[in-house]
Amino acid sequence: MPKDFKCLYCDCYFSSRQAYAQYVNRTHYDINDTQTGWEESLSSITNENEEYEDQNMPPASHEYEDVLENTDVVSNFSKNYDINQTSQSNFDQSDRFEESNMEDYYSFEQVSPDRFEESNIEDYDNFEQVSPEREENVMEFPNEAYADLMELFIKHNLNNKTGNAIIKFFDKHSNLSTSPLPKNIEAGRKLMDIMNVQKLPYSKHCILDYKNKEYFVYYRPIKSCIESLLSNPDIIKNFIYKYQFLQSDGETLYSEQYSGNWWKNAEASIRPEAHILSIILYSDATTTDSLGKSSLHPIYISLGNIRTWRRNKEDAKQLLGYLPILSANNEGQTSRFKRLAPRETFHNSLKFLLDPLFDEDGIDFKINNKNIWFFPRISTVIGDWPEACTFSLTFKSANSNYPCHFCQTHRNDLTSIRKDCIIIRNKENMQEYYNNGSAESIGLEQVYNYFWTIPNIDIYAVTVPDRMHHLDLGLFQYQIEYTKELLGKSLEDKMNRRIAIIPRHPGLKIFAKGVQSIARLTASEFRDLMKVMVFVVDNLLNKDLSEVYVRWNRMYLMSRFERFTESDLENFQIAINEWADLFITLFWDCSSGMKMPKLHSWIYHIVDTIRDFGAINGYTTETYESLHKTYVKIPYRLSNKKDVEMQIMKNIRRRAMILRNQVKETKTPRALTYTAKLFIINFSNITELCNQQKNNPNINETMRKGFKEFQNCLYEYLSELKKSFTEGSLIKIFGSVTLKNGAILRATNKFHGRPWFSNIAVAMNNEELSKYQSDKGICYAQTLLITEVNVPNESPFHLVLVQ
C-alpha cells in the first residue's frame, strides 16, 4: 500500500489524506497550532490519485464556521459528564468518524499500539468543555436556513456525505456572497451540541468500577423528562389530576389508571390539595444489530395521568437513559459477578435515576404557566417476565421453586392452588426474609431492593402482567407448539397445508409455509394466527382441540376491553378458567405438568391487576416496543460503533431540539370513519330512493335486498326510539366504514371489481336474545347497507342494516 502522506508532527505515514486528517484530529489535538494551520499544511501535500473533498466548493465564504474552533480546554476529570457541555474534544471524535468511511479509519499505518490505545480510550474520559460564557451565547441557530438544513438532516437520518452534498449544491446555485449554511454538517452538529436548550440535558454517570473497568449509566434527569411531557399542550389536554370513581349500571367501572384502586389509595396518602403524578417505567434490553452481537438496555418513562389513547403515542414517552450491561468475559462464573449483573448494578442505577423524585414535600411542576403540587409515585413497571424479575429481584428461572414474582406459590402448585390459599409477596414479608438471610429459600435474591425505600409502591404488584409477552409471545405460542406435538408429523403437515391455502385478505398475514418456523414469529403474526387457527384445527384431531382455540379467542377478545365492570371481571375470570382448564387437560403430557409461571400469573393475578391499575390496554408493551427503533436501532446505525451510548444520546438530543417546536395537536380518535359515499338524500326522499334501487339491475342482489328492507327497518327503529326525523335530515349511504379498532366493514358492489358485503358477529343485548338464534349471545350476520343519518341539532345516527 503506498504511503503518500507523512505526519507533520510525528514519523507516521498514511495512504490517504482523509486517514491522515483523522489521525491528526485524534492524536495531535493539543498542539498549539490552530486547526486552520494544519489544514493549510495538509493541503500543501499533493497526491495525484486523490482530490480534496471541498476542492470544487464555490467561492462563497461561510459566515458561520465551526463555532468550536479555538475553544479553551478544561482537562478536569469527573465521573459525571455533561453532554451539553462537550465541545471539540475526544467526546466528539465519534462525530468526526461519521464524516468518512470506516475503511479510511482502518487504513492508519505505523501508529504505535500504545499511542492508538491511549488516544482511543483514555482520552474519551477527559472531556473538553465549552466555556460557560461561550455556551450562554449559543441559544439558537444563526438563521432560518441553517435551522432548516439541520432539521432536514436529522429528521430524515441523512449521513454526512448527503448533508455535505446538499450544502455544496446550495452554495453553488444560491449566488450569495456569504453562505447562511454551516461549512459542513459536522460544524452544524457541533453547534447543536453546545446550544443551551432547557429541558434537554444528557449526561453519564459511573455506577460501578469493577476489576479496573467502569460501567456507566447514560441518562437524562428524570425531572427534565417529566417537564418535557408536561410542556406538551396536547398532552395536557388529556391529563388527569384526580382519582375518578366510575360506575356503570350501579357497578364499579375500571378503565383508565385513574379509576383503579392503586390511584385511590395513593391519593389518600397525600395532602388533599396535592396531586398524584403517576410514573410508568418501561425497561427492556434489545439488540442493536441484526446479528445480536451487541445490545443496549434503554429505560423509558411515561405518565399514568395521560389518557391511554394519548399515552400510546410516541411523544407521550421519554427516554430516561441506558442502563449498564456488564460484560461477563472470564469472570462470568463468579458468584459476585452474577450478583452484580444485573441485580445490584441495575438497582443502583435505578436509585441514581429515580431518587430526585421522592422528596417528602412533593415537587412543583409548571403546567400552563402555573405551579402544580405533585407527589410522584411509581404506578406500574412494564416489561417482559425476566425484566419483571429483575425489578422485583425474584429468581428468573421458571424452574425455581417459587418462580412467581406476585406470590409465594410453589412451582408444583402453580395451576392447582386455590385462590384463597395464595400468599402474596409484599415489602414487609420479603424484607423479613432478606434480613434473616433466607431470601433464596423463597425465590428471592439476597440483594437489597431499592423499591423497598420508595413510598406507596409494592414492587411485586406494580410489575404488571404484559399481555403481549404473556399471551401473544407466551401462552399462545405454547398452545401452537403443544398442538403440533399432539398432532404428530402427519397431521401437522396437514395443518400446515390448511394454513398455506388460506386466501389473501386485507390485514391478514399469509403463512405460505405454515407454522414451521414458529420461534421467529412476531406478536402481530401470532395475532393473525389467532384469527384462523380455530378453523385450521377443526376436525383435525378431536373437538377439544378446536374448542381450546374457541375459548382462547373469547378470553383474548375480553382482555382487550377498554373498560371492565365487576360483572365483566367475573365473566373474564370465568373465560380464563374455562380456557385454562381445557388447555391443562389437553396438553398436560406436552408440558411437564404445566409448571409455567406465565400461566399461573394470568389465571390468578390479572383480574386483581385490572382492579388496581385499570384496563390491560393501559399497561401493555405493544406501544413501547416501537421506541427501540427510534432510540436504539436508527441512532446505532448512524454511529461509528465507538462509544455508542454517548453518540446515541447526542443524536437523540439533536432530534429533540428539532422537534421541540413542532408539537402537533393529536386528533382525538374517531369511533367511525366513513369512506366511499354512494348516496346522499333528504329523509323525505327515502321512499323514492328505495323504489329506484331495489329494482336496479346494475347493483348487486345483496344491495337490492338491502334497499328493499331499508325503509321499513328504519321506521321500526325510529318508533322504538320514539323519534321522528324533521325536515332537513340527511341520509348518507357509504360503501365502507372503519371502526375504532381498525376493522373495516364493507357493503359495496365493487371492491377491486368484486362485490363485498362483510360478514360480522354481533354481541346481542340480553333482552333481545330470545328473538334471535344465537351462539352464546353472538349472532352472525351479513352487512347490507352502511348508513349515517344526520339530524339537525342532534348527534348523527350510525346505522348498519344486516341480515
Side-chain angles (χ1 to χ4, degrees):
M1 182 179 293
K3 302 175 182 179
D4 297 326
F5 297 95
K6 179 181 182 300
C7 179
L8 298 177
Y9 310 111
C10 64
D11 295 329
C12 296
Y13 288 84
F14 305 92
S15 61
S16 69
R17 186 190 306 272
Q18 222 164 12
Y20 172 44
Q22 290 177 350
Y23 171 72
V24 172
N25 261 339
R26 293 183 56 78
T27 59
H28 299 301
Y29 66 91
D30 55 343
I31 294 179
N32 291 328
D33 296 338
T34 62
Q35 182 172 337
T36 304
W38 71 256
E39 280 183 350
E40 291 174 354
S41 300
L42 177 64
S43 61
S44 66
I45 305 175
T46 58
N47 182 359
E48 296 179 357
N49 299 323
E50 192 175 64
E51 292 185 357
Y52 185 57
E53 183 180 13
D54 293 331
Q55 180 177 326
N56 296 322
M57 290 289 287
S61 64
H62 288 261
E63 179 180 355
Y64 306 101
E65 297 284 334
D66 184 354
V67 298
L68 294 177
E69 291 180 3
N70 303 319
T71 303
D72 293 337
V73 177
V74 179
S75 59
N76 296 329
F77 173 78
S78 172
K79 287 189 177 181
N80 289 281
Y81 306 99
D82 188 348
I83 297 179
N84 286 333
Q85 295 180 341
T86 57
S87 64
Q88 189 175 333
S89 64
N90 294 292
F91 171 71
D92 279 326
Q93 301 303 326
S94 56
D95 288 334
R96 292 196 187 98
F97 278 31
E98 293 172 27
E99 185 77 11
S100 61
N101 296 328
M102 291 302 295
E103 294 177 0
D104 293 324
Y105 171 71
Y106 290 113
S107 65
F108 284 15
E109 295 186 315
Q110 293 190 10
V111 180
S112 66
D114 294 338
R115 165 169 271 174
F116 182 83
E117 182 177 356
E118 179 182 356
S119 63
N120 192 38
I121 299 176
E122 292 182 3
D123 287 341
Y124 266 97
D125 294 333
N126 293 276
F127 287 86
E128 297 176 29
Q129 297 180 339
V130 181
S131 63
E133 295 78 13
R134 188 63 175 271
E135 183 174 351
E136 289 176 0
N137 293 331
V138 184
M139 301 294 294
E140 56 186 16
F141 291 105
N143 54 66
E144 187 176 355
Y146 199 124
D148 288 345
L149 172 71
M150 298 311 298
E151 177 183 344
L152 177 71
F153 173 75
I154 291 172
K155 186 176 180 180
H156 297 285
N157 301 312
L158 303 180
N159 58 32
N160 289 357
K161 186 175 181 179
T162 304
N164 290 335
I166 294 173
I167 294 175
K168 185 175 180 179
F169 177 85
F170 177 87
D171 289 345
K172 182 177 181 180
H173 297 285
S174 62
N175 295 323
L176 297 176
S177 58
T178 301
S179 173
L181 302 183
K183 178 176 62 177
N184 50 43
I185 287 298
E186 182 184 4
R189 286 201 316 270
K190 291 175 182 176
L191 174 65
M192 296 185 71
D193 290 340
I194 68 166
M195 287 174 66
N196 187 10
V197 180
Q198 292 184 350
K199 304 186 185 70
L200 290 177
Y202 289 89
S203 306
K204 77 173 186 176
H205 171 75
C206 180
I207 208 72
L208 173 67
D209 189 344
Y210 182 63
K211 290 199 173 183
N212 299 322
K213 182 173 182 180
E214 292 180 324
Y215 294 89
F216 293 91
V217 53
Y218 297 80
Y219 71 100
R220 179 180 176 188
I222 191 168
K223 289 183 180 179
S224 174
C225 294
I226 295 173
E227 288 169 353
S228 292
L229 292 172
L230 298 181
S231 65
N232 187 327
D234 191 51
I235 286 179
I236 297 304
K237 291 179 183 178
N238 299 281
F239 191 86
I240 304 299
Y241 294 90
K242 291 292 186 180
Y243 165 77
Q244 296 181 12
F245 176 67
L246 304 179
Q247 283 187 311
S248 177
D249 296 330
E251 293 185 85
T252 302
L253 183 67
Y254 306 97
S255 58
E256 300 279 351
Q257 190 184 101
Y258 56 77
S259 65
N261 293 331
W262 173 86
W263 196 301
K264 177 183 177 181
N265 297 331
E267 194 171 276
S269 68
I270 65 173
R271 297 280 296 273
E273 61 269 30
H275 307 279
I276 289 292
L277 188 68
S278 170
I279 306 297
I280 297 176
L281 298 176
Y282 168 66
S283 171
D284 184 27
T286 183
T287 57
T288 56
D289 53 22
S290 58
L291 299 177
K293 291 185 176 180
S294 60
S295 60
L296 290 174
H297 196 162
I299 181 169
Y300 307 94
I301 181 176
S302 187
L303 301 178
N305 305 67
I306 307 171
R307 296 184 187 275
T308 298
W309 73 266
R310 186 62 183 84
R311 192 167 67 245
N312 287 340
K313 306 295 182 182
E314 184 173 308
D315 65 342
K317 309 174 184 73
Q318 292 283 316
L319 174 71
L320 181 56
Y322 298 96
L323 304 177
I325 299 177
L326 276 66
S327 54
N329 297 328
N330 296 328
E331 310 94 354
Q333 303 303 317
T334 66
S335 60
R336 172 165 173 75
F337 194 85
K338 286 183 177 180
R339 189 166 71 256
L340 286 172
R343 296 165 180 84
E344 286 182 2
T345 305
F346 184 87
H347 279 256
N348 288 339
S349 300
L350 292 178
K351 175 178 173 59
F352 173 78
L353 294 173
L354 302 178
D355 263 356
L357 284 182
F358 301 110
D359 189 286
E360 292 182 359
D361 297 325
I363 302 177
D364 287 344
F365 285 107
K366 186 169 288 187
I367 298 180
N368 294 332
N369 295 320
K370 294 181 180 180
N371 285 329
I372 308 296
W373 187 14
F374 287 102
F375 280 83
R377 295 291 184 263
I378 296 176
S379 57
T380 53
V381 174
I382 304 174
D384 56 16
W385 188 271
E387 204 74 23
C389 292
T390 304
F391 275 91
S392 59
L393 284 176
T394 53
F395 289 170
K396 292 183 180 181
S397 174
N399 295 322
S400 64
N401 287 333
Y402 298 91
C404 179
H405 60 80
F406 284 96
C407 65
Q408 304 176 45
T409 302
H410 195 275
R411 65 188 297 262
N412 294 331
D413 304 323
L414 287 177
T415 57
S416 60
I417 191 171
R418 287 170 45 193
K419 182 72 178 286
D420 56 0
C421 295
I422 289 179
I423 302 175
I424 297 296
R425 294 181 189 265
N426 56 47
K427 178 173 67 175
E428 290 73 23
N429 58 30
M430 292 299 103
Q431 200 164 2
E432 183 177 352
Y433 280 105
Y434 170 80
N435 292 335
N436 294 335
S438 57
E440 295 184 0
S441 66
I442 199 65
L444 189 70
E445 298 290 349
Q446 191 65 39
V447 176
Y448 192 83
N449 195 313
Y450 162 67
F451 292 98
W452 291 343
T453 65
I454 299 179
N456 296 108
I457 177 175
D458 179 1
I459 188 59
Y460 308 101
V462 303
T463 46
V464 292
D466 169 48
R467 181 176 55 214
M468 188 180 80
H469 288 98
H470 266 64
L471 298 189
D472 304 346
L473 299 173
L475 296 177
F476 190 72
Q477 180 175 352
Y478 296 149
Q479 188 164 295
I480 297 288
E481 290 174 345
Y482 296 159
T483 297
K484 295 167 65 176
E485 185 176 344
L486 195 65
L487 291 175
K489 180 62 177 174
S490 177
L491 290 178
E492 180 188 341
D493 292 341
K494 186 175 181 180
M495 179 185 75
N496 285 327
R497 287 195 296 272
R498 288 185 175 185
I499 294 175
I501 64 174
I502 294 175
R504 295 187 178 275
H505 184 79
L508 184 64
K509 179 178 175 62
I510 301 301
F511 299 89
K513 297 182 180 179
V515 289
Q516 298 174 4
S517 57
I518 188 173
R520 303 183 63 181
L521 297 184
T522 64
S524 176
E525 290 169 335
F526 276 117
R527 287 193 287 270
D528 283 328
L529 277 176
M530 293 178 197
K531 302 172 185 177
V532 300
M533 283 302 296
V534 64
F535 309 105
V536 169
V537 300
D538 188 34
N539 292 327
L540 202 57
L541 184 66
N542 54 44
K543 290 184 178 180
D544 283 346
L545 185 58
S546 57
E547 180 63 20
V548 76
Y549 283 94
V550 171
R551 294 184 183 183
W552 170 274
N553 286 353
R554 184 181 300 119
M555 175 193 71
Y556 189 83
L557 289 173
M558 293 184 71
S559 77
R560 302 190 77 90
F561 284 2
E562 295 182 354
R563 31 191 274 166
F564 290 86
T565 62
E566 282 292 344
S567 58
D568 289 333
L569 290 178
E570 292 176 6
N571 293 332
F572 185 36
Q573 186 67 66
I574 292 172
I576 293 174
N577 293 340
E578 289 179 346
W579 166 79
D581 290 343
L582 185 55
F583 177 85
I584 293 170
T585 303
L586 190 62
F587 301 119
W588 180 269
D589 294 333
C590 303
S591 63
S592 302
M594 290 291 166
K595 298 174 182 178
M596 296 185 291
K598 288 183 179 179
L599 178 61
H600 164 85
S601 172
W602 190 253
I603 295 173
Y604 292 100
H605 300 299
I606 188 60
V607 170
D608 290 336
T609 301
I610 294 173
R611 289 192 177 98
D612 285 339
F613 304 106
I616 303 171
N617 293 346
Y619 43 87
T620 177
T621 59
E622 293 171 24
T623 61
Y624 287 83
E625 291 286 325
S626 60
L627 296 177
H628 290 333
K629 181 178 180 181
T630 303
Y631 292 108
V632 177
K633 310 289 186 182
I634 293 177
Y636 178 82
R637 192 180 72 242
L638 294 174
S639 74
N640 64 10
K641 317 306 182 287
K642 304 291 183 182
D643 203 19
V644 171
E645 293 91 341
M646 196 66 77
Q647 290 190 56
I648 289 179
M649 294 295 272
K650 292 178 67 178
N651 181 288
I652 292 170
R653 181 179 185 270
R654 296 173 196 142
R655 180 174 295 275
M657 291 170 60
I658 292 296
L659 298 178
R660 73 186 191 279
N661 294 324
Q662 300 180 3
V663 177
K664 297 182 179 179
E665 184 172 342
T666 303
K667 297 181 180 179
T668 303
R670 296 177 58 186
L672 301 169
T673 303
Y674 292 97
T675 51
K677 187 185 296 180
L678 302 178
F679 302 96
I680 178 170
I681 59 167
N682 289 317
F683 184 76
S684 57
N685 298 330
I686 184 174
T687 303
E688 180 181 353
L689 175 69
C690 290
N691 288 337
Q692 289 177 352
Q693 299 301 324
K694 67 183 181 182
N695 297 316
N696 186 350
N698 296 322
I699 64 176
N700 185 267
E701 179 183 355
T702 304
M703 184 170 284
R704 290 202 299 268
K705 185 189 301 181
F707 279 108
K708 184 177 180 180
E709 303 293 339
F710 178 55
Q711 185 174 3
N712 292 335
C713 291
L714 182 59
Y715 285 156
E716 183 177 349
Y717 175 76
L718 294 176
S719 64
E720 289 186 4
L721 294 180
K722 298 181 180 179
K723 283 186 174 290
S724 60
F725 290 163
T726 60
E727 187 66 29
S729 299
L730 292 178
I731 299 176
K732 300 177 183 178
I733 301 177
F734 295 89
S736 61
V737 59
T738 303
L739 308 182
K740 187 177 180 180
N741 62 3
I744 301 177
L745 204 63
R746 301 188 189 277
T748 178
N749 291 293
K750 289 185 179 181
F751 182 80
H752 294 289
R754 296 183 180 182
W756 190 341
F757 295 87
S758 298
N759 296 314
I760 61 174
V762 183
M764 306 299 296
N765 294 330
N766 292 331
E767 57 270 19
E768 294 184 296
L769 278 178
S770 59
K771 301 179 183 179
Y772 302 93
Q773 185 178 6
S774 66
D775 175 19
K776 296 182 180 180
I778 302 295
C779 286
Y780 301 96
Q782 184 179 37
T783 305
L784 302 181
L785 292 176
I786 299 171
T787 70
E788 180 187 52
V789 181
N790 297 99
V791 182
N793 303 320
E794 288 192 37
S795 299
F797 292 87
H798 307 284
L799 306 175
V800 176
L801 182 64
V802 301
Q803 181 181 24

